[in-house]
Amino acid sequence: MASLTCTNFTLLTAAAILLQITGLSLFVFGFFPIKPALSGVSGPESFRPSSCDSIEDQNFTALHPDHLKSLYQELSEIPPSYDRLILMVIDGLPAEFVLGRDDQPPSKIYKDAMPYTQSLLANKMALGYHAKAAPPTVTLPRLKAMTTGSIGGFLDVLFNFNTQALLEDNIIGQFFRIGWKMVMLGDETWLKLFPGLFTRHDGVSSFFVKDTVQVDNNVSRHLSYELYKNDWNLLILHYLGLDHVGHLGGRSSTLMGPKLKEMDEVIKLIHSSIIQNHKQTLLVVVSDHGMQENGNHGGSSYEETDSLALFISPKHSHVSVSPTINQVDIAPTLSLLFGVPIPKNNAGYLITDLFLPLQDHELLRAMELNSLQLLKLLEAQTTHFTCKSLYLDAISLHKSWKMKNDLRSASNDEFKNTVFAYNEFLKTASQQLSHTATDKPMGLLAVGVTTMLLSCIIFLFLLFKLIQETYQNLKLQLSEAFIAIIIIILVLSMGSSSLVEEEQYLWHFMTSSFFLILLHKTFKSKSTNKIKTSILISIIIISGRVLRGWHQGGVNWTHLPDISKSLENSSSFYIKLLQILSVFVILVLCFYTLSSLKSCVVISIMGSYFCVGLLVLNYVMKYQGDGDNDNDGILAAQMIYGLIVGLTSVMVVGSPWIVSFYLKDLVLKIKDCLYLSGIAYVFGWCFLQLLLQKPVNSMPISLLLVQILATICCGSDFKQWVEIGAIYYLGMAGHFSLGNTNTLATIDVAGAFIGISTHSTVLSGLIMFVITYASPMLSLLSMVLSISMKDINPKLKNMGQLLKTILGFPCLVPLGLNSVLLVAYTIILLLMRNHLFIWTVFSPKYIYVVVTTVCVLVGVLIVASTVTYIVSVVFLLRHRYYKHSASLLYGRREDDS
């Protein structure tokens, strides 16, 4: 077969990348659409069956708020239970802290921290519930669930960082239409969701998680004033400090007890004011989600979905019948308690306990209104549902009870039967609405999958073609075949939810097995470097075993002991010692790699990296931890950012000009330029990670660097595509060694604000990406260093062919391997679209697969751009050198003549 020219090779690769991006975009927006919502808002028609809707109902928004409020009360036939609402949101508070778990009271430390709240529960002045939150457990979709009653789309987790105005029918809008005056203090997400609806407000950023004090003081400083005022109907207080404490130190943080005590004092202050001044006020204390043991959230574990709903008023005189509700049940409950229509897209059902003070006919009417709303939503969203007969049974029993009640012959059993029938319908309808999968455009999904598959085929074809051109013998050895075997095993594992949750075990096992095979091959070989290579591979395997035990990872076995837990539970001295050791190891490796270059410029580069190392070490010792939000800490971090970016840019951009001073040979010049650039990328990235990663992750960063450098050093004994595959696999296994999993809860939100004084979605998102994909990106950036260690054929004088030879494997191997995993998991996700764990296991994993693809594309782009720039400049300088030499020679000949 004829070989591909560099132009054709580049065009096919670019076409494959474009196809992959296009197909992935089509599939993502087809599989994860923004959940469709019924347009418009509920009005007078919500109090009547569909057949009774009138034309007048369509003009209800033109009514004066007082008239609309009176109309709603008349149509609902239920007097409002309260006239003022205080909604207190304690971000990230697990219900377990207040209500206990599995019929057991909360632990003593939590119970003692909130004595007033516990007394309210004990004296039946408060009803407490475990309000189950649907994943993803982040603030934005949880606030939407509480105000609209609807289950949000999965991609709301992405919109959590860029909140837009909520256009869907919600209780805040319903309150506004009946003339309520509303005040909001706290998380500015409310202001973005409901712009222009609040009479007074003071918003704070929810993302600056380093702040655990001022973020709550900004709320509480207004509290006494607002409780004294009588000009509002709704007061929203959204406290963020407890969530931030969790992100910084986990559930067991020493700050958790004092923060709970602070929230208890706020509840005490509000409740005392209610009792003394305004008894018709309902205080609702809720949390948007819970948190894992490490304080993070976003996934679907019990600890993350266990949110709180606490209803406090003087009217309660009983204990809740069921301690568990769904978070979406809050919206219809508040709507009916305050006499406004239930939002159109509500999927929740009312909390019956809160309506027990009502008369029997009022309670049944409330259940009827909720049933009517759910029935209309079911009829609008699906053509077939199985619970309409339950609705008809409940309505029939209700009519029968009303007739007998009018004649005063209705028995208590008939009332209970009617309540039971309504409850059966409400629960069934709510479950059906919550679990109904959004209709997916199968044609669009098929085009997306086909396009990605075509892209994958092109990548694999180019890779096979390049192997065929480079190596005459295509017979695969076990070590070479194992590159493909790893991918096949990973693809087969993707269909199991348990293996997706515990994917790290496969990566560690397969990577270790691969290097054991390489070690066995080395022992059997007759290479002169046998001993050196064997030692290097042994170092890789031993380092891998340490990394395997650093974080337990996964979902089901996180409670088991590991190195990181032991370090965190011991004195901070050991973590600081490891951080110092990590800086020292990286500096030594940096100086060792630079020492092979014969140039006086190397001394200045070494001095620059020594300064970077000292600055990182100073930051680690002085600012990292509770004090890194200080202005001095922010300035120190920004200085390190600037120095790393500046030094890397100078070395990469200036390398061809630096090397031209002491080298004239074309091949050596290119190799030294690539070597300098590779060092800049690898060590700059490692120092950056020492700054950004959690302190306990400093040693894994240095061990990952040791693994990658050892692989590059012994790569000469193996084919280049095998070496590139090995480096790529080390990067993927290292991803889990840093504590990452396939759940969103392990994303380090706190680290995303290091060196940032104010919240920036772009900068914070970029830093979050850098932290999460530290290991895969390190492996990709190291490709430049790997290229510089390879022999370059001096006969290749054509720049195009030289670029193809140099860039072929470093670009195609990562692109090809990732493409196989992407296509395979896309197909599996499509097949699993009706699986029980589609939103809790498979979808979060797919988000990681998508972002990993972005990581690979960015890494390959950096490598290709760097190599192309260096080769182009070196050829340009050589051309100018020859031109200058020729002109000098021509001038001399003229003088001689």
Side-chain angles (χ1 to χ4, degrees):
M1 296 176 66
S3 62
L4 290 171
T5 64
C6 178
T7 303
N8 292 336
F9 183 87
T10 305
L11 289 175
L12 281 173
T13 304
I17 291 174
L18 184 61
L19 286 171
Q20 186 178 77
I21 295 172
T22 303
L24 185 56
S25 301
L26 292 174
F27 185 86
V28 167
F29 288 108
F31 196 88
F32 301 110
I34 300 174
K35 191 170 182 178
L38 295 179
S39 59
V41 297
S42 294
E45 81 288 344
S46 64
F47 298 101
R48 296 188 285 256
S50 302
S51 58
C52 300
D53 292 349
S54 63
I55 298 177
E56 289 78 8
D57 290 345
Q58 300 173 10
N59 301 319
F60 73 93
T61 53
L63 292 175
H64 188 275
D66 291 338
H67 294 162
L68 187 61
K69 182 178 180 180
S70 299
L71 176 62
Y72 285 161
Q73 292 184 14
E74 177 186 346
L75 293 173
S76 68
E77 303 172 18
I78 308 171
S81 301
Y82 307 91
D83 59 15
R84 294 214 309 179
L85 169 65
I86 299 177
L87 181 63
M88 179 180 175
V89 183
I90 305 178
D91 205 295
L93 175 63
E96 179 184 345
F97 286 9
V98 180
L99 305 176
R101 179 174 178 178
D102 299 331
D103 298 326
Q104 298 296 318
S107 62
K108 189 176 186 302
I109 186 174
Y110 301 136
K111 196 170 184 178
D112 291 346
M114 305 189 77
Y116 193 82
T117 305
Q118 293 299 328
S119 70
L120 291 175
L121 289 165
N123 295 325
K124 300 181 181 179
M125 300 183 71
L127 292 179
Y129 299 90
H130 294 263
K132 185 178 180 182
T137 45
V138 292
T139 299
L140 174 64
R142 298 304 94 232
L143 294 185
K144 285 184 177 180
M146 286 188 279
T147 55
T148 67
S150 63
I151 307 294
F154 185 80
L155 285 189
D156 273 345
V157 68
L158 301 181
F159 301 130
N160 188 59
F161 298 98
N162 188 24
T163 307
Q164 304 293 327
L166 180 60
L167 302 178
E168 191 176 340
D169 191 12
N170 58 83
I171 58 173
I172 306 299
Q174 291 290 351
F175 290 152
F176 183 78
R177 278 184 283 277
I178 63 171
W180 272 30
K181 304 299 181 184
M182 297 178 285
V183 178
M184 197 293 299
L185 307 171
D187 186 355
E188 63 183 10
T189 303
W190 290 92
L191 301 179
K192 296 176 180 179
L193 283 173
F194 309 106
L197 299 190
F198 297 106
T199 305
R200 291 187 297 276
H201 57 79
D202 187 3
V204 295
S205 174
S206 61
F207 294 105
F208 201 77
V209 298
K210 297 291 184 183
D211 178 13
T212 64
V213 178
Q214 192 60 41
V215 73
D216 285 346
N217 290 344
N218 284 343
V219 180
S220 294
R221 65 178 177 169
H222 301 285
L223 192 54
S224 296
Y225 171 81
E226 294 297 346
L227 292 175
Y228 174 78
K229 298 285 286 185
N230 288 314
D231 64 344
W232 53 263
N233 305 95
L234 170 62
L235 174 62
I236 296 175
L237 310 168
H238 192 136
Y239 286 92
L240 293 160
L242 187 135
D243 179 67
H244 293 183
V245 167
H247 281 299
L248 290 174
R251 288 190 173 206
S252 303
S253 170
T254 54
L255 300 176
M256 189 62 74
K259 181 57 67 175
L260 288 171
K261 179 66 176 175
E262 180 186 341
M263 295 296 100
D264 190 61
E265 290 296 327
V266 172
I267 294 172
K268 180 179 180 180
L269 175 62
I270 297 172
H271 186 250
S272 301
S273 174
I274 291 172
I275 294 175
Q276 293 176 7
N277 302 324
H278 207 296
K279 295 186 178 181
Q280 286 300 105
T281 301
L282 174 64
L283 170 60
V284 181
V285 181
V286 298
S287 59
D288 48 354
H289 50 74
M291 64 173 69
Q292 287 188 337
E293 192 62 37
N294 62 8
N296 290 336
H297 54 86
S300 58
S301 67
Y302 175 86
E303 289 76 13
E304 296 163 89
T305 59
D306 180 36
S307 64
L308 175 70
L310 194 64
F311 297 85
I312 304 172
S313 83
K315 298 186 179 183
H316 303 310
S317 60
H318 60 284
V319 179
S320 60
V321 176
S322 172
T324 303
I325 61 171
N326 292 314
Q327 201 174 58
V328 291
D329 298 341
I330 294 173
T333 300
L334 293 180
S335 296
L336 293 172
L337 284 176
F338 288 93
V340 295
I342 300 173
K344 272 193 173 185
N345 296 284
N346 165 67
Y349 58 94
L350 57 86
I351 305 169
T352 313
D353 298 334
L354 297 171
F355 294 85
L356 292 182
L358 297 179
Q359 298 182 34
D360 290 351
H361 73 277
E362 293 171 340
L363 173 61
L364 290 178
R365 175 59 174 164
M367 300 183 82
E368 179 186 15
L369 291 176
N370 195 182
S371 300
L372 185 60
Q373 178 266 321
L374 289 179
L375 180 70
K376 289 180 178 180
L377 186 61
L378 280 169
E379 290 175 339
Q381 288 195 353
T382 179
T383 55
H384 62 281
F385 50 93
T386 58
C387 56
K388 190 167 185 178
S389 60
L390 295 175
Y391 172 79
L392 296 175
D393 290 344
I395 291 295
S396 177
L397 287 172
H398 191 183
K399 287 181 179 178
S400 174
W401 179 88
K402 282 195 290 188
M403 290 178 59
K404 292 182 179 181
N405 190 53
D406 290 341
L407 300 172
R408 298 189 177 182
S409 61
S411 66
N412 191 46
D413 287 342
E414 289 175 309
F415 171 74
K416 289 181 178 179
N417 289 338
T418 307
V419 171
F420 178 80
Y422 270 128
N423 274 328
E424 283 294 297
F425 168 74
L426 289 171
K427 290 179 181 179
T428 307
S430 179
Q431 290 174 358
Q432 188 164 338
L433 285 167
S434 299
H435 292 98
T436 298
T438 305
D439 291 336
K440 297 177 176 61
M442 294 306 295
L444 185 65
L445 298 179
V447 172
V449 173
T450 304
T451 307
M452 282 187 280
L453 182 60
L454 178 59
S455 169
C456 181
I457 292 172
I458 295 174
F459 283 136
L460 295 180
F461 165 75
L462 290 174
L463 185 57
F464 175 78
K465 185 73 174 171
L466 192 62
I467 294 173
Q468 187 182 49
E469 292 177 11
T470 308
Y471 305 104
Q472 300 300 321
N473 183 14
L474 291 178
K475 184 178 179 181
L476 292 178
Q477 299 180 356
L478 178 59
S479 59
E480 298 164 2
F482 207 74
I483 294 286
I485 292 172
I486 292 176
I487 290 294
I488 293 170
I489 292 175
L490 285 167
V491 167
L492 293 176
S493 72
M494 289 176 173
S496 166
S497 61
S498 298
L499 289 177
V500 169
E501 290 179 324
E502 310 298 336
E503 185 181 354
Q504 73 278 357
Y505 294 119
L506 275 175
W507 277 110
H508 289 305
F509 176 77
M510 300 307 295
T511 305
S512 299
S513 300
F514 175 68
F515 280 99
L516 282 172
I517 291 172
L518 291 181
L519 184 61
H520 178 262
K521 178 185 176 183
T522 304
F523 279 138
K524 292 178 63 178
S525 70
K526 299 178 181 178
S527 171
T528 56
N529 296 325
K530 177 195 282 190
I531 297 177
K532 174 190 171 184
T533 305
S534 300
I535 292 173
L536 290 172
I537 295 177
S538 299
I539 291 173
I540 295 169
I541 295 172
I542 294 170
S543 300
R545 184 61 191 91
V546 175
L547 288 170
R548 158 66 182 82
W550 206 267
H551 286 281
Q552 192 59 44
V555 174
N556 299 308
W557 315 111
T558 52
H559 62 282
L560 295 179
D562 54 38
I563 298 173
S564 64
K565 292 189 184 73
S566 300
L567 288 169
E568 288 170 342
N569 293 332
S570 62
S571 170
S572 60
F573 168 78
Y574 296 106
I575 295 180
K576 294 294 184 184
L577 188 63
L578 287 177
Q579 288 180 288
I580 296 171
L581 180 61
S582 299
V583 173
F584 177 75
V585 168
I586 292 174
L587 275 176
V588 169
L589 290 173
C590 179
F591 293 164
Y592 176 76
T593 53
L594 282 169
S595 64
S596 62
L597 291 173
K598 303 296 187 291
S599 171
C600 58
V601 182
V602 171
I603 305 298
S604 60
I605 296 175
M606 285 182 175
S608 300
Y609 275 113
F610 185 72
C611 291
V612 173
L614 288 181
L615 286 173
V616 171
L617 193 58
N618 175 66
Y619 183 89
V620 164
M621 302 303 295
K622 191 174 180 181
Y623 301 109
Q624 200 167 55
D626 294 335
D628 57 2
N629 190 40
D630 296 340
N631 289 332
D632 290 344
I634 293 171
L635 185 61
Q638 290 175 348
M639 189 181 300
I640 296 171
Y641 289 150
L643 192 53
I644 291 174
V645 172
L647 184 57
T648 303
S649 300
V650 168
M651 286 181 64
V652 173
V653 175
S655 60
W657 314 91
I658 296 171
V659 171
S660 64
F661 285 114
Y662 64 91
L663 277 179
K664 301 303 179 185
D665 182 83
L666 176 68
V667 172
L668 291 178
K669 194 181 290 188
I670 291 175
K671 292 182 68 173
D672 276 14
C673 289
L674 292 173
Y675 191 74
L676 267 176
S677 300
I679 289 173
Y681 283 138
V682 169
F683 290 99
W685 187 260
C686 286
F687 281 120
L688 182 63
Q689 292 305 324
L690 290 182
L691 172 69
L692 295 175
Q693 290 287 336
K694 294 177 181 178
V696 77
N697 278 345
S698 59
M699 185 52 68
I701 291 295
S702 58
L703 290 176
L704 283 168
L705 176 62
V706 168
Q707 284 189 312
I708 289 174
L709 292 180
T711 305
I712 293 173
C713 288
C714 66
S716 58
D717 291 347
F718 313 109
K719 292 178 180 178
Q720 187 184 10
W721 65 275
V722 176
E723 178 194 342
I724 299 298
I727 294 173
Y728 178 79
Y729 287 151
L730 284 175
M732 292 307 298
H735 175 72
F736 297 100
S737 299
L738 293 174
N740 294 296
T741 67
N742 285 327
T743 70
L744 302 176
T746 49
I747 296 175
D748 185 9
V749 179
F753 299 92
I754 294 175
I756 299 179
S757 55
T758 57
H759 171 64
S760 167
T761 302
V762 175
L763 287 177
S764 299
L766 179 62
I767 295 174
M768 199 179 299
F769 173 83
V770 168
I771 295 172
T772 306
Y773 284 87
S775 180
M777 189 59 78
L778 176 62
S779 69
L780 291 165
L781 293 176
S782 68
M783 301 295 179
V784 178
L785 192 59
S786 171
I787 293 169
S788 70
M789 306 288 282
K790 297 293 173 287
D791 293 330
I792 297 177
N793 188 353
K795 296 180 181 180
L796 291 173
K797 303 298 183 182
N798 180 273
M799 188 173 73
Q801 288 301 316
L802 183 62
L803 283 173
K804 175 186 171 183
T805 304
I806 294 175
L807 281 175
F809 289 121
C811 291
L812 280 178
V813 172
L815 287 171
L817 294 176
N818 178 75
S819 184
V820 172
L821 293 174
L822 174 64
V823 171
Y825 196 75
T826 301
I827 295 172
I828 288 170
L829 186 71
L830 194 57
L831 295 176
M832 295 290 180
R833 63 188 181 278
N834 296 318
H835 194 279
L836 179 64
F837 298 142
I838 182 62
W839 302 119
T840 56
V841 176
F842 293 103
S843 293
K845 163 63 180 172
Y846 195 71
I847 296 298
Y848 277 103
V849 170
V850 171
V851 183
T852 301
T853 301
V854 173
C855 176
V856 170
L857 292 175
V858 170
V860 167
L861 177 63
I862 292 173
V863 173
S865 301
T866 302
V867 174
T868 303
Y869 165 77
I870 288 172
V871 172
S872 301
V873 172
V874 168
F875 267 84
L876 176 64
L877 290 176
R878 187 187 68 158
H879 176 70
R880 286 186 176 180
Y881 172 77
Y882 283 138
K883 186 176 181 181
H884 180 66
S885 300
S887 64
L888 289 176
L889 181 62
Y890 180 72
R892 287 172 185 169
R893 288 177 177 175
E894 284 188 339
D895 292 340
D896 292 340
S897 63

